[in-house]
């Protein structure tokens, strides 16, 4: 079983914008994160991004200081290469259980994130999942792969 940790949790009330750090998030089954614009009955309820991916881009973007949520991600992890996980992988995130439904995405034409950053790594390295069992997630919580598809 591979284990990582949660570095940050973030939410936003609108889609296509940077998210802001939260003290904790509540994940609801078949819905996503309470108060987040991407919540709903669909396959991209929660977005994840690895700190390692952010660090790599930070080396290239020397004039901008990247912060949690800058790419619209809900959860930032450290210790696992997320974009290499197969669709169907199940993971324990804090006290919640989620399943990977998509790796990467098509970027919105001219989204606020791309305009601000000049690049967006979510289309290449972002991971999306649906919530199977609800729970609370906060900074410092464990992120554990339960089963890889």
């Amino acid at each position: 079983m591979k284990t990582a940790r949660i570095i940050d949790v973030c939410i936003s009330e609108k889609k296509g914008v940077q998210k802001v750090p939260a003290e904790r998030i509540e994940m609801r089954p078949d819905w996503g994160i309470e108060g987040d614009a991407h919540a709903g009955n669909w396959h991209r309820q929660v977005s994840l991004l690895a700190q390692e991916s952010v660090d790599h881009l930070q080396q290239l973007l020397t004039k901008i200081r990247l912060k949690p949520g800058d790419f619209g991600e809900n959860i930032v992890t450290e210790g696992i290469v997320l974009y290499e996980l197969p669709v169907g992988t199940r993971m324990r995130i804090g006290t919640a259980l989620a399943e990977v439904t998509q790796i990467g995405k098509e970027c919105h034409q001219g989204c606020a994130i791309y305009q601000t950053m000049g690049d967006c790594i979510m289309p290449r390295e972002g991971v999306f999942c649906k919530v199977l069992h609800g729970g609370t997630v906060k900074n410092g919580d464990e992120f554990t792969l339960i089963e890889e598809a």
Side-chain angles (χ1 to χ4, degrees), residues 2 10-12 22-23 37 39 50 72 89 94-95 98 101 105 107 135 146-147:
K2 294 181 186 173
C10 306
I11 60 170
S12 67
E23 186 176 317
T89 299
T95 61
T101 57
K105 70 177 185 107
C107 202
I146 302 298
E147 96 187 24

Side-chain angles (χ1 to χ4, degrees), residues 1-7 75 77-78 80 91-96 136-145:
M1 211 179 321
K2 294 181 186 173
T3 302
R5 70 184 184 103
I6 306 298
I7 302 297
I75 298 173
T77 67
E78 183 177 63
I80 292 177
M91 62 202 91
R92 174 83 44 209
I93 306 172
T95 61
T136 302
V137 183
K138 62 187 181 323
N139 299 351
D141 279 353
E142 282 193 356
F143 173 94
T144 306
L145 299 182

Side-chain angles (χ1 to χ4, degrees), residues 27 48 77 80 82 85-86 88-94 96-101 127-130 132-133 143-147:
M27 293 173 59
L48 298 97
T77 67
I80 292 177
L82 293 175
L85 296 175
T89 299
R90 291 185 175 197
M91 62 202 91
R92 174 83 44 209
I93 306 172
L97 179 67
E99 180 178 287
V100 175
T101 57
V127 171
F128 300 89
C129 61
K130 64 181 179 182
L132 303 177
H133 297 287
F143 173 94
T144 306
L145 299 182
I146 302 298
E147 96 187 24

Side-chain angles (χ1 to χ4, degrees), residues 23-36:
E23 186 176 317
R24 66 175 26 101
I25 54 174
E26 293 296 326
M27 293 173 59
R28 282 187 25 213
D30 298 320
W31 181 254
I33 298 171
E34 291 283 341
D36 188 70

Side-chain angles (χ1 to χ4, degrees), residues 55-103:
D55 290 345
H56 180 259
L57 188 58
Q58 181 66 74
Q59 292 174 351
L60 304 173
L61 299 175
T62 57
K63 296 180 186 210
I64 298 172
R65 182 71 196 134
L66 300 175
K67 303 176 301 311
D70 275 353
F71 297 103
E73 73 277 11
N74 292 120
I75 298 173
V76 182
T77 67
E78 183 177 63
I80 292 177
V81 180
L82 293 175
Y83 64 87
E84 292 179 351
L85 296 175
V87 169
T89 299
R90 291 185 175 197
M91 62 202 91
R92 174 83 44 209
I93 306 172
T95 61
L97 179 67
E99 180 178 287
V100 175
T101 57
Q102 184 175 325
I103 306 294

